[in-house]
Amino acid sequence: MRSIWNGAISFGLVSIPIKLVNATESHSISFRQIHLSDGGRIRYRKVCELDGEEVATAEIGKGYEEADGSIIPITDQDLAQLPIATAKTIEIVSFVPADEIDPLQMDAAYYLAANGPTAAKPYTLLREALKRSRKVAIAKYALRGRERLGMLRVVDDVIAMHGLLWPDEIRVPEGVAPEGKVSVREAELDLADALMATLGEVEMDSLTDEYREAVEAMISAKSQGAFEPPSEAEVEPAGGKVIDLMAALEKSVNAAKASRGEATQAQVTPIRRKTAAAPKAVGGKKSTSTAKKTTAGTRKTASAKSTATKSTATKSAPAGSAAAGSAKSTATKSTAKSTAKSASKAASAKKTAAAAKKAAPRKRASA
């Protein structure tokens, strides 16, 4: 690979001669501007404003335009003579954990190649030190007319450098987050986690640029005169559509699993909405109290009837006769049953029975 910059890594007092090689390349398809009527190329020509003549690249230099419009010429020699240590040196300033680097700062990536046999030993020393420390090196360097920030890390057996944006080049995300308070339920988070686990398992090498492949196929078909425009796909308008988030998440999980040949859930669980609880019966305790009073009154009536029956039987039977004894026995049994039914009214029943017994002898004596 062709180097784009030669210099050295400054690692304390250690200097490592290196060559800078692009680690990435663009595979995007470039188009030319053409004249639609005849297909002729449209070219941009660099013309001098003073004499109107086209200028070759070798005759073009740099210049700084001041506020009044005057141009101050700046040569490459002027830039090379600036008293900065990073003009031809990648100067390491610190070592930090990789997770301290904000991915927003990542820029272009380069490979650093050892430049010559004498650079092999210090190059390997720095590489192994980075491996063992599990850290990355933060460095400053100058490239294409400006000083830049970089991060050195190990990729396989090579030291790679990522260009970093300066911290003040990262914009604050004001007004980007959704406005207002949005609540997310635990069930929705669980489904989101399941979808992440399903979609997260992918081989990076299997990902391709499908748009570029389609453009290349179209160009090939047009060059062979066999191109047929595909039918336009119907695109549903986005925005303004209210969806069932739970159902959408579950369908997404099932679709992702189905694409991988995994078992899917047979049914999507709809969102369960809370229903209003049935109103409590008003006056429930009062009704229970009334029922208790009614029961107590019934028991009192039964006890009074039993006592009256006993008294009547005693009056109708002669003194000392068997009928009186039988009536007395029946009244006693009836009183016992009534007492067993209502233990709380036993004392009252006994008093009533005693009064009946006292009245019966007085009536027999008068007879």
Side-chain angles (χ1 to χ4, degrees):
M1 290 185 286
R2 186 175 64 87
S3 64
I4 62 172
W5 184 86
N6 293 338
I9 299 175
S10 175
F11 178 32
L13 297 178
V14 178
S15 180
I16 310 171
I18 55 97
K19 296 183 294 183
L20 196 66
V21 178
N22 279 322
T24 62
E25 59 186 358
S26 174
H27 289 169
S28 61
I29 298 174
S30 300
F31 298 102
R32 302 293 187 186
Q33 290 184 330
I34 61 171
H35 190 191
L36 292 177
S37 62
D38 55 14
R41 281 278 308 275
I42 303 298
R43 297 180 180 273
Y44 290 99
R45 296 181 178 180
K46 299 176 180 180
V47 178
C48 176
E49 292 183 350
L50 297 179
D51 56 19
E53 295 183 1
E54 186 176 352
V55 181
T57 302
E59 299 178 0
I60 299 176
K62 299 182 182 69
Y64 177 80
E65 184 178 3
E66 292 193 313
D68 59 359
S70 61
I71 302 294
I72 300 177
I74 303 295
T75 66
D76 291 337
Q77 185 177 4
D78 294 335
L79 296 175
Q81 292 176 348
L82 292 177
I84 56 174
T86 58
K88 279 290 183 179
T89 303
I90 299 175
E91 182 182 2
I92 296 177
V93 295
S94 67
F95 293 87
V96 299
D99 57 7
E100 290 188 8
I101 304 300
D102 189 343
L104 285 174
Q105 290 184 254
M106 294 291 186
D107 202 358
Y110 308 95
Y111 290 135
L112 303 182
N115 193 3
T118 57
K121 181 66 179 287
Y123 183 95
T124 304
L125 172 64
L126 176 59
R127 183 191 67 195
E128 296 304 314
L130 288 171
K131 281 184 179 180
R132 190 167 71 172
S133 67
R134 297 182 180 179
K135 293 183 177 181
V136 297
I138 302 300
K140 294 168 68 177
Y141 65 101
L143 182 64
R144 298 190 180 101
R146 56 170 295 192
E147 189 173 53
R148 303 170 187 266
L149 195 62
M151 178 190 76
L152 277 62
R153 69 184 183 97
V154 178
V155 177
D156 295 333
D157 289 332
V158 175
I159 298 175
M161 181 175 70
H162 295 268
L164 298 179
L165 299 175
W166 295 98
D168 59 359
E169 293 179 319
I170 305 298
R171 299 176 64 184
V172 178
E174 294 180 353
V176 179
E179 297 181 359
K181 186 177 181 181
V182 180
S183 60
V184 179
R185 297 184 299 167
E186 289 295 329
E188 294 168 341
L189 283 174
D190 292 340
L191 281 174
D193 289 342
L195 182 58
M196 290 169 62
T198 305
L199 297 179
E201 298 175 0
V202 64
E203 292 292 336
M204 294 297 294
D205 293 339
S206 67
L207 301 178
T208 58
D209 186 349
E210 297 179 1
Y211 179 80
R212 177 175 59 86
E213 292 173 356
V215 172
E216 288 176 344
M218 178 189 63
I219 293 172
S220 176
K222 279 198 167 188
S223 65
Q224 299 172 9
F227 176 71
E228 294 182 2
S231 58
E232 294 184 1
E234 295 183 0
V235 180
E236 295 183 1
K241 186 178 180 181
V242 179
I243 63 171
D244 187 332
L245 185 57
M246 290 287 288
L249 284 170
E250 289 194 7
K251 287 180 181 178
S252 300
V253 173
N254 291 342
K257 289 183 177 179
S259 66
R260 300 173 186 275
E262 301 178 11
T264 60
Q265 297 176 358
Q267 184 177 2
V268 175
T269 305
I271 294 178
R272 295 182 178 89
R273 306 188 186 277
K274 294 183 178 180
T275 56
K280 295 182 179 179
V282 179
K285 294 182 178 180
K286 195 171 184 180
S287 299
T288 306
S289 176
T290 304
K292 289 182 179 179
K293 289 180 179 180
T294 303
T295 305
T298 303
R299 289 175 180 172
K300 286 181 180 180
T301 303
S303 177
K305 287 182 179 180
S306 175
T307 304
T309 302
K310 178 181 176 185
S311 178
T312 303
T314 305
K315 288 178 181 179
S316 61
S321 65
S326 176
K328 183 178 181 180
S329 176
T330 301
T332 304
K333 289 179 179 180
S334 178
T335 303
K337 288 182 180 180
S338 178
T339 304
K341 291 179 180 179
S342 180
S344 63
K345 301 299 181 179
S348 177
K350 288 180 180 180
K351 289 181 180 180
T352 305
K357 286 181 181 181
K358 288 180 180 179
R362 287 194 296 268
K363 288 181 180 180
R364 286 196 297 269
S366 62

